[in-house]
Amino acid sequence: MKDLLSVHDYLFAQSDIGDWEGEEEFVTERYNELIHHAWERLDDDLSCERIDEIINGIWEQLRGDTALLDAEHEELMDWVEHYVDSAQDEQM
């Protein structure tokens, strides 16, 4: 079902990210990079609803968290991999 959706539907514009005390551009770029990485890990046969839950869950976990500013790139990528893999395993 993944082919019925587009990763671009889940990306944020800088105006969507909220107030990050002058770091909105950095946070937007970093978040969108995480979404692209998550998208690549999603199974092609996941339902559209489940994809929505997983991708939207990333923002729910990270919004307002200074990890988007403070964490190393690799740490965030590893976190996304674990989050997506765990969420997919829950469905099975």
Side-chain angles (χ1 to χ4, degrees), residues 7-76:
V7 68
H8 299 287
D9 295 332
Y10 298 99
L11 301 179
F12 278 16
Q14 193 170 330
S15 60
D16 299 326
I17 208 79
D19 181 21
W20 287 82
E21 299 182 10
E23 296 293 332
E24 292 82 9
E25 182 177 359
F26 176 78
V27 172
T28 302
E29 289 176 12
R30 184 166 261 199
Y31 175 74
N32 286 339
E33 188 175 3
L34 295 175
I35 295 304
H36 276 285
H37 189 61
W39 188 263
E40 293 173 14
R41 294 190 71 81
L42 292 170
D43 292 336
D44 291 336
D45 59 345
L46 280 177
S47 71
C48 294
E49 294 80 16
R50 189 65 184 136
I51 291 171
D52 278 342
E53 289 173 9
I54 293 170
I55 296 294
N56 292 327
I58 294 170
W59 181 244
E60 292 300 316
Q61 294 291 317
L62 293 177
R63 70 177 175 180
D65 191 333
T66 61
L68 283 169
L69 291 170
D70 301 334
E72 295 291 325
H73 181 266
E74 286 303 314
E75 288 177 305
L76 287 171

